[in-house]
Amino acid sequence: MRAWRVHGYGEPQDQLVLDDVPEPTPVDLAGLGMDLSGWVPLAEGQAPFTDWVLLRMTAAALALPDVTMSRGTYPVPVRRPYISGQEGVGVVVDAAPGRRDLLGKKVAAVCIQPWGSLAPVSVGISSIFEVPDGMSDAEGAAFVIPAHTAYHAVHRRGQVQAGEAAAVLGAAGGLGSAIVQLCVAAGARVIAVVGGADKVAFCEQLGAEAVDHAAGDPVPEVLGRTGGRGVDVIIDPVQGVDGAHLRGALRVEGRHVLCGHAGGLVPHDPHFYLRNHTLVGTTLGGYPRDEMVRIHAETHAALDALLAAGRYRPLVTRTVGFDDVPAALADLAARRTMGRVVVDIAGTR
Ligand SMILES: NC(=O)c1ccc[n+]([C@@H]2O[C@H](COP(=O)([O-])OP(=O)(O)OC[C@H]3O[C@@H](n4cnc5c(N)ncnc54)[C@H](OP(=O)(O)O)[C@@H]3O)[C@@H](O)[C@H]2O)c1
């Protein structure tokens, strides 16, 4: 099969190679374990990883980790070469014994390196969900990671309440726009902090107010909109200098929920304690596997209810062909995308 693989380090448009590689098979998976960096040769005493399905892919979503993995700035080192892509939709063509009930079904799943989702055949693991009725393959491909991460950040970790004011950085991005929708659905007042008029308009359509950081310092603007008090919570997929700076618009005893690092990881100013701020870390990867599966199931049930009520929707703003992946990732790296960009893989071999 032809798959988009990364061999070296640098910008994805320079590093991605359309390689001819064998399709993954159950024999390949039988001798491997799983850790945070992906599929790994078994360490002494480690059990093989047996919670997988083989997928004939129809669609895959692009996301910033496709860029940071290629650059080598993703927080977990990823062995080379690997197939890029972290999630997508496919039909289950084979499965581990405990997952054979899914054979023939169309599912949305997370795919872990080296078998990323930008290939005609990939491997979905653990938190695998049937694509709900009425959801397109493109929407399904853009569903699991943004929605589950956002739900985890907004509810379990961020404890966002109705009536609170929440600032969201990177709010027009894939994860950011999911956070905005869930905060709005929770009854919070949302102030999106984004760069550019098109992103302001995009977030306003989702029910947020929006501040354009490209037009000036967002801190006085957010303070002004909250009567000088500041927001109750910042939900932050960006961090870096911009994330730290926005704490100037966080009220005393406010929470800064750190759920991504699009702007990089910088050391935290220890003076946050002087305003009784709470820094909250949030990622789905950090739990023991059983607990993660349980959290995903609970989250999925809550998201299903929001989908059914029309209060949440995967936001696919563009669909591209398989050959257009490097150009689309160059747009993503340059902050020119909104919501998710999805790759049509159906029919690619
Ligand atoms: N915690 C978890 O479990 C988890 C799960 C999924 C993703 N993530 C992380 O969440 C972050 C966002 O991922 P995503 O796929 O949603 O990204 P995305 O769609 O590209 O959106 C990221 C947004 O961040 C802003 N940004 C600020 N500095 C940036 C920079 N140097 N490069 C690119 N964007 C920058 C941009 O907004 P403006 O231009 O409007 O400022 C951009 O729209 C990533 O760090 C990813 O690794 C974490």
Side-chain angles (χ1 to χ4, degrees):
M1 65 176 182
R2 294 187 323 147
W4 282 112
R5 284 211 301 182
V6 171
H7 296 256
Y9 292 85
E11 293 303 308
Q13 65 270 32
D14 303 326
Q15 298 300 324
L16 281 166
V17 181
L18 199 47
D19 279 336
D20 255 319
V21 293
E23 294 180 3
T25 68
V27 175
D28 297 324
L29 307 179
L32 296 175
M34 177 71 63
D35 70 15
L36 267 182
S37 69
W39 292 91
V40 287
L42 286 178
E44 185 143 332
Q46 188 183 12
F49 183 74
T50 55
D51 193 12
W52 52 263
V53 293
L54 281 184
L55 298 172
R56 190 152 301 280
M57 303 299 289
T58 58
L62 301 180
L64 202 56
D66 302 324
V67 177
T68 53
M69 269 184 212
S70 173
R71 288 176 179 159
T73 56
Y74 193 64
V76 183
V78 180
R79 280 170 292 276
R80 268 79 174 145
Y82 66 84
I83 299 173
S84 193
Q86 284 195 308
E87 69 178 322
V89 160
V91 176
V92 178
V93 291
D94 206 340
R99 288 297 195 153
R100 298 193 73 79
D101 57 307
L102 291 171
L103 280 173
K105 299 204 165 134
K106 187 173 276 183
V107 300
V110 173
C111 304
I112 302 285
Q113 278 56 47
W115 288 294
S117 55
L118 290 170
V121 177
S122 187
V123 190
I125 66 151
S126 297
S127 306
I128 303 158
F129 303 100
E130 284 186 55
V131 177
D133 286 343
M135 189 181 274
S136 67
D137 288 15
E139 288 175 321
F143 178 50
V144 176
I145 292 180
H148 280 245
T149 307
Y151 192 90
H152 195 64
V154 170
H155 289 289
R156 183 180 171 106
R157 302 290 297 142
Q159 298 283 316
V160 172
Q161 306 296 319
E164 284 194 316
V168 181
L169 269 160
L175 178 53
S177 57
I179 292 167
V180 169
Q181 289 190 77
L182 292 181
C183 285
V184 169
R189 174 187 178 193
V190 182
I191 304 178
V193 179
V194 290
D198 50 348
K199 293 182 177 179
V200 165
F202 184 73
C203 292
E204 285 175 346
Q205 279 172 11
L206 300 177
E209 301 167 40
V211 169
D212 184 354
H213 64 64
D217 185 349
V219 169
E221 182 67 31
V222 173
L223 283 172
R225 289 176 186 231
T226 54
R229 177 175 176 269
V231 292
D232 301 290
V233 58
I234 300 170
I235 314 272
D236 184 4
V238 172
Q239 293 197 64
V241 172
D242 292 348
H245 180 66
L246 196 63
R247 275 211 295 281
L250 183 63
R251 72 162 167 83
V252 170
E253 288 199 337
R255 292 104 67 205
H256 187 177
V257 180
L258 311 164
C259 57
H261 53 97
L265 291 167
V266 298
H268 280 284
D269 177 354
H271 294 92
F272 72 88
Y273 80 96
L274 292 175
R275 282 180 56 77
N276 292 286
H277 285 164
T278 302
L279 303 190
V280 182
T282 166
T283 181
L284 284 165
Y287 291 92
R289 189 151 296 278
D290 287 355
E291 202 171 341
M292 195 176 90
V293 170
R294 184 180 54 73
I295 290 171
H296 269 300
E298 287 170 11
T299 302
H300 203 73
L303 287 165
D304 262 349
L306 287 166
L307 281 165
R311 311 195 72 188
Y312 184 83
R313 198 82 210 156
L315 294 170
V316 178
T317 56
R318 193 172 141 202
T319 303
V320 300
F322 197 62
D323 290 340
D324 300 325
V325 165
L329 280 177
D331 283 345
L332 198 139
R335 301 161 77 160
R336 289 193 290 262
T337 60
M338 294 187 284
R340 277 280 188 253
V341 176
V342 169
V343 183
D344 180 2
I345 305 191
T348 302
R349 281 285 170 281

